[in-house]
Amino acid sequence: MIKDATVAKWVSDLMLEFGKKLDESVAEVQNNCSNEEFVAYRKAIGRVMGDMLLEVMNPIYTAHPEIKPKELR
């Protein structure tokens, strides 16, 4: 997907940062919204994070396995 290792690392770091923020948003919704809203939001965020992993991160890590975080190995 991305041939340049520097750009690939930057995108990987960005996706990890976004993932952390999305996780935080799920906790915020859980703490401040109804259970129905939380379940719907968590499901939507799960789809977003799944797409980030499958469509962006995994292709980068296939091309640049050296930048794949230990947590994802």
Side-chain angles (χ1 to χ4, degrees):
M1 171 185 269
I2 297 173
K3 293 180 182 179
D4 184 285
T6 302
V7 175
K9 174 73 169 124
W10 182 84
V11 171
S12 171
D13 291 345
L14 186 64
M15 293 298 106
L16 293 169
E17 180 183 335
F18 288 168
K20 181 179 177 191
K21 290 186 180 296
L22 289 169
D23 279 341
E24 291 169 359
S25 76
V26 170
E28 185 71 18
V29 170
Q30 183 177 26
N31 292 332
N32 294 290
C33 298
S34 71
N35 190 60
E36 181 178 288
E37 291 169 308
F38 164 66
V39 169
Y41 184 76
R42 181 181 62 188
K43 183 177 180 181
I45 294 303
R47 286 191 302 266
V48 169
M49 291 179 75
D51 282 347
M52 279 177 29
L53 180 65
L54 296 174
E55 303 297 330
V56 179
M57 297 167 81
N58 282 348
I60 287 173
Y61 300 145
T62 296
H64 305 279
E66 70 280 0
I67 67 172
K68 188 173 186 174
K70 292 176 186 170
E71 310 86 59
L72 296 178
R73 292 182 190 166

